[in-house]
Amino acid sequence: MSEITRSDQRTNFFNLLQRRSERSAFNSDRVISGRDLTSILEAARWAPTAHNMQNFEVVIVDDPRILDTIGRVHSTTTHEFIVENYRQLSFSEDELIRKGVGILANSFPPEWLNPDGDFHETDDMEHGFLDSTMRSCPLVIIVLYDPRRRAPGSTGDFLGIISLGCVMENMWLAANALGIGVQIMSVFSEKSTEDELRGILGVPPELRIAYALRLGYPIEAERPHLRVRRGVGSFAHRNQYGAHYEPDVTD
Ligand SMILES: Cc1cc2nc3c(=O)[nH]c(=O)nc-3n(C[C@H](O)[C@H](O)[C@H](O)COP(=O)(O)O)c2cc1C
């Protein structure tokens, strides 16, 4: 096996920083090759999981008829989501840059964005169908959680849930390295959506739908969107919680 050089390591690191959510339409003329899909699934396979329990299965959907059926599944937005989502929204790029956390309000339907709205009175909303999210998407990987493969002694299988995140990130980074765009779709795990999908995909009752990855080739012109993060100094603490950590930026 060839030696991994420092320069390779830095390239890998910068590839990692380029990972991003691709929420716009994909190029409908380009499908994901079997070879690339295999690489993404290998990345899932080698993800770290608590106690090596590998507590997941995946359903790969690339049949256009099934993709179309998934697009017609209802999705509901809960009252809780609307209230919590509203609290963290930014209404301008400047606000988002200042906060360094959350997402821009323009990603969401206007009815969720009324600052004067009485959100505590809002019932769960029929969001519509999944078709807007599924548009032009040639392939979806649906990740199933298997609670029977529980990490030993982990209350609430907290470690198992973290493991599902590792699986997500491994597949996401692999797809990114191959130039394939990914959007995570949490809505697939929302109870009523999950129940409908369960029927379509034949998911047995002992498994839960955790999330899905919507994959495709991004259309370059639609790509730019502002991404922000907290500074390292705002979440890292040196030796004691609350003690300032100054990131070393020297080469
Ligand atoms: C557990 C989890 C669930 C997520 N669910 C969604 C989702 O349902 N829809 C979506 O567009 N992005 C989803 N995301 C992506 C995040 O919103 C995104 O990573 C974050 O806003 C940072 O943006 P970036 O991925 O472009 O760096 C999810 C990410 C994680 C880790």
Side-chain angles (χ1 to χ4, degrees), residues 164-178:
L164 296 175
C166 295
V167 174
M168 174 194 287
E169 181 75 342
N170 260 30
M171 287 198 281
W172 202 340
L173 291 175
N176 186 65
L178 296 165

Side-chain angles (χ1 to χ4, degrees), residues 34-62:
R35 192 171 165 188
D36 284 352
L37 177 58
T38 301
S39 301
I40 293 166
L41 297 176
E42 279 294 315
R45 179 175 172 233
W46 286 102
T49 55
H51 218 75
N52 196 19
M53 292 306 293
Q54 302 169 52
N55 58 345
F56 64 94
E57 309 275 326
V58 298
V59 181
I60 297 133
V61 183
D62 61 355

Side-chain angles (χ1 to χ4, degrees), residues 130-186:
L130 289 180
D131 55 355
S132 58
T133 335
M134 293 291 296
R135 66 195 190 283
S136 67
C137 168
L139 193 139
V140 177
I141 298 178
I142 297 161
V143 177
L144 308 177
Y145 165 47
D146 186 347
R148 297 167 305 179
R149 296 177 184 264
R150 180 174 173 271
S154 173
T155 308
D157 202 13
F158 185 63
L159 299 178
I161 307 293
I162 294 174
S163 303
L164 296 175
C166 295
V167 174
M168 174 194 287
E169 181 75 342
N170 260 30
M171 287 198 281
W172 202 340
L173 291 175
N176 186 65
L178 296 165
I180 296 167
V182 172
Q183 181 183 12
I184 306 301
M185 304 203 322
S186 317

Side-chain angles (χ1 to χ4, degrees), residues 6-232:
R6 172 121 181 102
S7 143
D8 290 335
Q9 285 172 341
R10 287 196 76 79
T11 307
N12 289 341
F13 175 69
F14 288 116
N15 283 343
L16 182 155
L17 297 190
Q18 278 159 13
R19 182 218 50 78
R20 50 183 287 133
S21 297
E22 294 291 353
R23 298 196 177 89
S24 53
F26 291 138
N27 180 345
S28 50
D29 296 332
R30 287 186 73 182
V31 295
I32 312 287
S33 74
R35 192 171 165 188
D36 284 352
L37 177 58
T38 301
S39 301
I40 293 166
L41 297 176
E42 279 294 315
R45 179 175 172 233
W46 286 102
T49 55
H51 218 75
N52 196 19
M53 292 306 293
Q54 302 169 52
N55 58 345
F56 64 94
E57 309 275 326
V58 298
V59 181
I60 297 133
V61 183
D62 61 355
D63 179 334
R65 284 169 309 172
I66 304 181
L67 288 168
D68 186 60
T69 308
I70 293 176
R72 282 185 272 112
V73 167
H74 295 82
S75 71
T76 307
T77 304
T78 63
H79 170 215
E80 184 191 15
F81 177 89
I82 292 173
V83 171
E84 291 188 8
N85 181 55
Y86 181 73
R87 285 197 201 114
Q88 63 71 37
L89 287 179
S90 288
F91 288 84
S92 70
E93 293 201 345
D94 285 347
E95 185 184 357
L96 183 61
I97 291 166
R98 189 164 22 85
K99 286 184 182 167
V101 178
I103 26 192
L104 271 176
N106 67 8
S107 324
F108 295 101
E111 60 272 24
W112 300 4
L113 308 180
N114 177 5
D116 304 319
D118 185 354
F119 288 91
H120 294 281
E121 296 300 319
T122 312
D123 290 329
D124 293 354
M125 262 191 224
E126 179 72 32
H127 183 186
F129 300 93
L130 289 180
D131 55 355
S132 58
T133 335
M134 293 291 296
R135 66 195 190 283
S136 67
C137 168
L139 193 139
V140 177
I141 298 178
I142 297 161
V143 177
L144 308 177
Y145 165 47
D146 186 347
R148 297 167 305 179
R149 296 177 184 264
R150 180 174 173 271
S154 173
T155 308
D157 202 13
F158 185 63
L159 299 178
I161 307 293
I162 294 174
S163 303
L164 296 175
C166 295
V167 174
M168 174 194 287
E169 181 75 342
N170 260 30
M171 287 198 281
W172 202 340
L173 291 175
N176 186 65
L178 296 165
I180 296 167
V182 172
Q183 181 183 12
I184 306 301
M185 304 203 322
S186 317
V187 67
F188 276 43
S189 65
E190 193 275 319
K191 182 77 179 78
S192 60
T193 307
E194 182 189 23
D195 287 345
E196 264 191 80
L197 289 166
R198 201 177 267 291
I200 296 165
L201 304 168
V203 176
E206 56 276 19
L207 301 180
R208 294 285 321 270
I209 297 181
Y211 54 84
L213 282 79
R214 165 186 173 267
L215 291 103
Y217 288 92
I219 300 169
E220 286 303 315
E222 294 190 18
R223 291 197 77 182
H225 70 257
L226 178 64
R227 294 173 68 237
V228 298
R229 290 297 190 269
R230 296 160 64 195
V232 171

